[in-house]
Amino acid sequence: SQTIHQWPATLVQPVGSPLSLECTVEGTSNPNLYWYRQAAGRGLQLLFYSIGIDQISSEVPQNLSASRPQDRQFILSSKKLLLSDSGFYLCAWSVPRARNTEAFFGQGTRLTVV
Amino acid sequence: AQKITQTQPGMFVQEKEAVTLDCTYDTSDPSYGLFWYKQPSSGEMIFLIYQGSYDQQNATEGRYSLNFQKARKSANLVISASQLGDSAMYFCAIWTYNDYKLSFGAGTTVTVRA
């Protein structure tokens, strides 16, 4: 069966420090991968999505970047965090080229920038 | 481009009654899927129901049904016989098959009263 691992679960980082959040999917090949950010009580903002190891689309211009070093690994990074980067970060995957399957989410990372 | 709009930030419903959550969308892609997710206070994302753009019948999953009106570009979720455990945030999402981009609305918070 397929599983998604996202870590860490919580993170407190000072302003100006770097960030690296990792997401790994098991049990499937070439998944579509997504990174979302959710401010408290708000909706999910799509940050990046990837349909292949060399294909990453950025939705929101900001100080975040994403990489896909392996087929089932998706990393969200920042060189210098801002206070506004605080939020709940969710990674998700979906079956490639499938038309009637949902996206599966990780447990999320609560990031607080202080 | 794709867009999802949920205009109800919060709703109250009496236990055992039905509630309808509104969702409208916009996309130029003729092939797409519509999803509803539930997010309890724990933060996990729970898939509820899916509707494909070419599906002729409205989707149903237990107490959840999707009122799909393609011409109006709406995909409202109906929860029948509300339970206290239904209290959560509910998100509508659209998935376009041209690029597998998955975008979410702002969400609706549902509070079920005993």
Side-chain angles (χ1 to χ4, degrees):
Chain A
S1 63
Q2 303 92 350
T3 55
I4 179 169
H5 301 281
Q6 185 181 344
W7 65 93
T10 58
L11 193 59
V12 180
Q13 292 283 100
V15 169
S17 64
L19 173 73
S20 180
L21 300 181
E22 189 164 340
C23 175
T24 302
V25 180
E26 295 179 356
T28 188
S29 296
N30 196 30
N32 301 322
L33 294 170
Y34 306 86
W35 275 113
Y36 295 90
R37 178 170 63 198
Q38 184 180 25
R42 307 294 292 274
L44 274 69
Q45 180 187 33
L46 178 60
L47 301 176
F48 300 93
Y49 67 102
S50 172
I51 61 172
I53 196 164
D54 293 322
Q55 297 175 279
I56 299 175
S57 299
S58 173
E59 287 298 299
V60 183
Q62 53 198 340
N63 67 321
L64 298 174
S65 62
S67 62
R68 188 168 177 170
Q70 300 179 42
D71 179 45
R72 291 170 289 177
Q73 186 184 29
F74 207 24
I75 297 174
L76 183 68
S77 304
S78 173
K79 292 182 179 178
K80 289 185 178 182
L81 284 169
L82 307 172
L83 288 174
S84 58
D85 291 325
S86 293
F88 188 49
Y89 288 80
L90 284 158
C91 179
W93 76 274
S94 66
V95 177
R97 297 176 297 281
R99 289 183 170 270
N100 59 349
T101 180
E102 70 271 28
F104 302 91
F105 283 81
Q107 294 302 302
T109 296
R110 294 196 184 276
L111 171 66
T112 304
V113 183
V114 295
Chain B
Q2 51 177 230
K3 185 179 180 182
I4 284 278
T5 303
Q6 294 181 255
T7 58
Q8 306 154 308
M11 297 185 70
F12 291 93
V13 59
Q14 206 64 29
E15 195 177 10
K16 299 181 184 179
E17 292 185 349
V19 61
T20 298
L21 308 183
D22 295 341
C23 173
T24 58
Y25 62 91
D26 192 21
T27 179
S28 56
D29 195 326
S31 184
Y32 54 88
L34 296 157
F35 301 82
W36 277 92
Y37 282 82
K38 171 184 177 181
Q39 187 183 43
S41 56
S42 62
E44 67 176 310
M45 293 291 287
I46 302 169
F47 165 73
L48 297 177
I49 196 166
Y50 162 87
Q51 179 85 42
S53 59
Y54 294 118
D55 292 344
Q56 296 297 314
Q57 293 187 329
N58 287 342
T60 60
E61 288 287 348
R63 294 186 298 110
Y64 304 107
S65 59
L66 200 151
N67 183 5
F68 181 47
Q69 299 189 42
K70 193 171 183 177
R72 294 186 178 182
K73 292 190 175 180
S74 78
N76 298 340
L77 176 71
V78 180
I79 306 174
S80 62
S82 295
Q83 303 172 356
L84 295 177
D86 293 334
S87 294
M89 199 159 187
Y90 289 80
F91 292 101
C92 182
I94 184 168
W95 189 344
T96 46
Y97 296 123
N98 178 46
D99 55 10
Y100 293 99
K101 179 178 172 181
L102 179 62
S103 297
F104 284 77
T108 297
T109 300
V110 172
T111 304
V112 181
R113 291 168 163 164

